[in-house]
Amino acid sequence: MNFILLITAVLTAFALVFAAYWIAKLLSPRSYNPQKGEVYECGIPTRGKSWMQFRVGYYLFAVLFLIFDVETVFLFPWAVVVRDLGVDAIISVLFFFIVLIGGLAYAWKKGALTWD
Amino acid sequence: MFDFSVVSSWIHQFLTSVMPEGLAIFLECLVVGVCILAAYAVIAMILIYMERKICAWFQCRIGPDRVGKFGLLQLFADVIKMLIKEIVELKNTDKFLHALAPYIVILSSILAFACLPINKGMEILDFNIGVVFLVAVSSLGVIGILLAGWSSNSKYTMIGAMRSGAQIISYELSIGMCLLAVAIFTGTLQFSEIVAFQADGWLIFKGHIPAVIAFIVYLIAGNAETNRGPFDMPEAESELTAGYHTEYSGMHFGFFYLSEYLNMFIIAGVAATIFLGGWMPLHIPGLEGFNAIMDYIPGFVWFFGKAFFVVFLLMWMRWTFVRLRIDQLLKFEWKILLPIGLFNLVLMILVVVFKLHF
């Protein structure tokens, strides 16, 4: 039943966007003007391409994010059983934590977290 | 406490008695879909009105008051305005991705919205991995935002999308840490069980110091996650026009607007569910009469009351603080919130293992 409901929710989302888009299309006025199709750039014509290179800093944060996000995925199953495992759970996850915090400290020291 | 599953199982029995089971399930799914849509639209309209009024009060203005009594018809006026605006077709965009982006953004927020347990037995998606599912679907939204910025082929949207992506993925870590702390404390990932765990006291009272820290970190990170408040870098209107949705017009823009408000409600709803007890009424140990009266208030009233209280806190934050710069924003997350989150996790483990909680 849960998965049927999941599919229902997905279809609902698509139906909402599709229906609202077409209702708006039918209701709204339409007029053509060559200037209208230009991208917005404060009224002046666009110079150069917009699909271009951007700062490498964004990539660095994305890579760091990946590390920590995968770490949370690993920790979730462990979090559910920590109450039953008791002290063993702390010891077993301690090394994992040390490596992680070491990784963050290393990135910090290397200046990966500084935006300049 | 009223259990809504009585109603849903009665409907199921009634439908299966008059028609084949497949058709009955199909009809139920239709009803569920319509309910999701209705709740989604109504909550978005309420939030937009609430934001305009609260923002006005914070700035010593009156806010919308021309359309209807107290400007209440403003809600409908906003929706109609959005629907009858022209959807401008741009020349140099990536047409497919430009049209796809709103679908992904709305999909992510509707799936997350369907996870919220509104009343006892009234949760739509109640997986045993609910918390992980919520984190997963809410991070789908960032793909939509990046697509919207990239496909518009404009520099403003590009910068807006990049900033937004960096911000959302960074603050998601803090949210993950807070949810992890809660998962450690409750020992379950299912939302209905997390709520049931709080029957004898909300987590924020029960969970000692780590729960309070987690709640505060969650509110800050949640505000950043929805691109609002002091963290509205991606759409900093004085520098980037409107950020990643500059090139969207009419209802196309409306989808981003809608999902932004709903994401705020989802953040508030999750905070209400995992820290403030969801639909659980307020119980004070020892006051039997008081507890009995509180039990008469239906669960969904409690849930929406708590959720809108957290929404008010988020709006308060938004209209009080000034915008951060991108470097301050990322520094704040990676050098302050994330270490606090990790430390809080260790604290929570100690509290749970050595049974220091109430």
Side-chain angles (χ1 to χ4, degrees), chain A residues 2-29:
Chain A
N2 251 334
F3 282 94
I4 299 175
L5 286 172
L6 176 63
I7 294 166
T8 311
V10 172
L11 290 179
T12 311
F14 286 148
L16 168 67
V17 180
F18 191 78
Y21 181 74
W22 281 102
I23 290 171
K25 266 255 150 142
L26 292 176
L27 287 179
S28 61

Side-chain angles (χ1 to χ4, degrees), chain B residues 5 35 47 63 75-76 80 87 110 118 131 180 238 244 246 251 285 303 321 342:
Chain B
S5 59
C35 286
L47 283 177
L75 313 169
F76 304 101
I80 291 168
I87 296 176
I110 280 200
I118 292 168
V131 175
L180 205 53
S238 40
Y244 56 87
T246 306
M251 198 57 215
F303 174 77
F321 296 115
L342 284 170

Side-chain angles (χ1 to χ4, degrees), chain A:
Chain A
M1 195 61 198
N2 251 334
F3 282 94
I4 299 175
L5 286 172
L6 176 63
I7 294 166
T8 311
V10 172
L11 290 179
T12 311
F14 286 148
L16 168 67
V17 180
F18 191 78
Y21 181 74
W22 281 102
I23 290 171
K25 266 255 150 142
L26 292 176
L27 287 179
S28 61
R30 231 170 302 166
S31 66
Y32 177 72
N33 182 344
Q35 249 89 60
K36 228 174 180 173
E38 297 288 335
V39 293
Y40 176 81
E41 200 121 358
C42 293
I44 51 168
T46 315
R47 296 180 97 194
K49 277 199 294 190
S50 300
W51 287 327
M52 55 189 177
Q53 291 179 322
F54 46 86
R55 276 188 77 100
V56 71
Y58 292 112
Y59 282 116
L60 271 179
F61 281 103
V63 169
L64 279 174
F65 160 74
L66 216 60
I67 298 166
F68 279 89
D69 210 39
V70 172
E71 167 249 324
T72 29
V73 172
F74 279 133
L75 281 179
F76 267 116
W78 166 83
V80 177
V81 293
V82 68
R83 210 172 254 275
D84 306 326
L85 291 182
V87 182
D88 288 353
I90 304 182
I91 297 165
S92 56
V93 93
L94 192 67
F95 298 101
F96 190 61
F97 252 86
I98 290 172
V99 171
L100 260 179
I101 293 172
L104 184 65
Y106 178 74
W108 195 328
K109 187 164 168 287
K110 276 280 175 186
L113 305 182
T114 324
W115 187 276
D116 46 17

Side-chain angles (χ1 to χ4, degrees), chain B residues 217-290:
Chain B
V217 171
Y218 182 86
L219 278 189
I220 296 171
N223 219 359
E225 183 78 356
T226 48
N227 291 336
R228 291 166 50 79
F231 312 101
D232 58 348
M233 281 307 300
E235 36 177 302
E237 59 269 28
S238 40
E239 31 186 307
L240 287 180
T241 324
Y244 56 87
H245 51 56
T246 306
E247 297 298 343
Y248 284 87
S249 49
M251 198 57 215
H252 235 164
F253 157 74
F255 296 129
F256 291 98
Y257 196 52
L258 204 66
S259 76
E260 187 193 319
Y261 278 95
L262 253 295
N263 283 340
M264 179 173 67
F265 183 77
I266 290 159
I267 293 289
V270 172
T273 305
I274 61 179
F275 293 109
L276 303 179
W279 45 262
M280 280 292 173
L282 177 66
H283 281 175
I284 299 171
L287 290 176
E288 293 308 320
F290 178 77

